[in-house]
Amino acid sequence: MLALGLDDRLPNFRVDLDRLDDAADLVLSVMQKNYPTLDVPFHSRWRHFATSGFDRHADLAEDFTDPMARARSDFDLAIVSVLLDAGAGPQWRYRDPTTGGHFSRSEGLALAGINMFARGDFSSRHGMSADPADRLRVDADALVSLDTETLRDGFQVTMDNPIVGLEGRAELLRSLGRLVVQRPEIFGRHDSPRPGGFFDHLAAKAEGNAIAAPRILSELLLQFGPIWPSRLTLGGVPLGDCWRHPSLTMADATSGLVPLHKLSQWLAYSLIEPLQWAGIAVTDIDGLTGLAEYRNGGLFIDTGVLALRDPADAARQHDVASTLVVEWRALTVALLDRVADVLRHRLNMDATSLPLAKVLEGGTWSAGRSIARQKRADGSPPLKVISDGTVF
């Protein structure tokens, strides 16, 4: 897609690599402000659980003495939280009961999710035991019967505080529950079926107590693929966050397909640390791609690296499956690699010391949010995307 863009052969965007240094300048300034020593953590869901001086996850982790039990609980939390982390829309806010602060978008969704998890909203055992571990879990049968009203209450959704795609999120969790029930050999090796049982599956795949990050993603796509809403299929297999673009032609059945898998990759990044906490090394962390979402993508539009051929498209609403959105997201993935290369050159670092997971966190996501606030009063992305709460 980027090669086509550089040849000026794309229908919706022009690509100006002369502006890439401007994007890299902004990313570097944000990274140095946020992490002056450049000790940048990985881009993952765990960052959102620590706000206003409170690390909600660290407090919950104290309830575990068995590292394997904690790992399953951490996987439970990460999986459900990431699946709930599609765009919330510009109006929604979450009032955190711990601090009284109001949070929007990813941070608000993270806090809503972890607070529901801490209450035992996703556990089928929390009312039957005083053991905190029986509350801090996600059970497949609890997900299968999850009522949309439970999610509405947990997310504090009202007529005056609407969220995008509430029913889509609830159905995605119910779909996850049904899948986990059906695959006890994957999700129930050492416990009743639960998403966190995926930890045991990955641990069994580790060689020499290590697993490569791309292997995490491939297992996620293989095992969790059926949960996604029915969109494109290939050979009877649902493709999830994979879309068509007419400019990409191949000589086989993959012609026109653009695989992005934003939430799956976000989840792969978010499972790295729980594996490490459990004593399993994760290698080739730079083997995952950037995330095709609106903060990273917005960075390139707002810095002029990408320009709409029709400026009026900025005011229109676009379906997530539209050629324009697919093009934008694919270009975002490719351009993130280009920005990472520029940053490594400037900082005299390599892909091991500054993997893309740190560039995203340091980083492009924060820079995209920062420039969005400068450009637009509500901090919204430069494009309006219609989503059902299950994409990004």
Side-chain angles (χ1 to χ4, degrees), residues 37-375:
T37 65
L38 296 181
D39 183 18
V40 184
F42 298 138
H43 189 55
S44 76
R45 196 56 163 155
W46 306 103
R47 308 288 80 78
H48 294 155
F49 296 141
T51 58
S52 307
F54 292 91
D55 187 339
R56 281 83 173 167
H57 172 253
D59 291 343
L60 299 182
E62 293 177 357
D63 289 323
F64 290 92
T65 55
D66 177 357
M68 298 302 100
R70 175 188 163 179
R72 293 178 197 113
S73 177
D74 287 342
F75 265 52
D76 277 336
L77 173 58
I79 291 168
V80 167
S81 183
V82 166
L83 294 185
L84 289 171
D85 193 31
Q91 296 175 268
W92 180 78
R93 297 291 185 274
Y94 179 75
R95 183 184 182 279
D96 178 31
T98 302
T99 65
H102 288 80
F103 299 86
S104 62
R105 301 188 184 271
S106 279
E107 288 88 346
L109 292 168
L111 294 182
I114 196 172
N115 285 334
M116 291 181 71
F117 178 78
R119 288 199 305 264
D121 287 359
F122 305 116
S123 168
S124 58
R125 303 183 182 184
H126 69 282
M128 301 181 291
S129 170
D131 185 349
D134 284 334
R135 185 181 77 252
L136 303 176
R137 57 181 290 131
V138 176
D139 287 292
D141 53 354
L143 291 181
V144 169
S145 60
L146 180 70
D147 191 286
T148 303
E149 291 305 310
T150 301
L151 213 55
R152 184 186 305 277
D153 179 65
F155 280 18
Q156 302 173 356
V157 175
T158 64
M159 292 289 290
D160 297 326
N161 190 36
I163 195 170
V164 171
L166 182 69
E167 177 56 35
R169 292 169 212 264
E171 179 54 31
L172 188 61
L173 291 189
R174 289 191 287 265
S175 181
L176 172 64
R178 292 190 292 269
L179 174 79
V180 172
V181 167
Q182 293 164 4
R183 295 187 174 177
E185 73 281 6
I186 302 295
F187 299 102
R189 292 185 179 211
H190 299 289
D191 201 341
S192 56
R194 58 191 290 194
F198 189 61
F199 165 77
D200 299 300
H201 176 73
L202 287 184
K205 298 288 182 182
E207 299 178 3
N209 210 38
I211 189 168
R215 183 66 183 274
I216 299 172
L217 176 61
S218 66
E219 291 296 326
L220 280 169
L221 294 174
L222 181 65
Q223 304 302 339
F224 287 80
I227 73 172
W228 301 106
S230 178
R231 298 186 181 106
L232 298 180
T233 62
L234 184 62
V237 177
L239 299 184
D241 188 6
C242 182
W243 312 90
R244 291 196 182 279
H245 192 286
S247 298
L248 295 180
T249 56
M250 304 289 286
D252 59 22
T254 67
S255 186
L257 295 181
V258 185
L260 296 166
H261 303 302
K262 183 265 177 177
L263 284 178
S264 295
Q265 293 215 79
W266 180 223
L267 183 50
Y269 280 119
S270 297
L271 295 182
I272 291 173
E273 285 157 291
L275 286 163
Q276 292 175 329
W277 297 331
I280 298 174
V282 179
T283 61
D284 193 15
I285 291 172
D286 202 52
L288 300 174
T289 78
L291 301 180
E293 52 82 52
Y294 62 84
R295 289 303 180 198
N296 290 321
L299 168 70
F300 296 118
I301 293 178
D302 284 338
T303 56
V305 180
L306 296 179
L308 289 163
R309 290 190 182 276
D310 181 359
D313 276 330
R316 299 181 179 120
Q317 296 219 339
H318 304 277
D319 189 86
V320 71
S322 68
T323 298
L324 184 146
V325 172
V326 174
E327 192 174 307
W328 176 42
R329 296 180 72 201
L331 289 169
T332 295
V333 173
L335 290 168
L336 287 169
D337 284 339
R338 297 292 186 105
V339 167
D341 287 341
V342 173
L343 293 178
R344 290 166 188 151
H345 177 74
R346 292 187 187 181
L347 296 170
N348 194 29
M349 300 173 79
D350 58 20
T352 301
S353 55
L354 190 64
L356 191 59
K358 294 188 175 185
V359 173
L360 295 170
E361 178 63 25
T364 56
W365 190 87
S366 298
R369 167 176 281 186
S370 173
I371 195 168
R373 287 172 173 162
Q374 295 173 32
K375 295 275 187 177

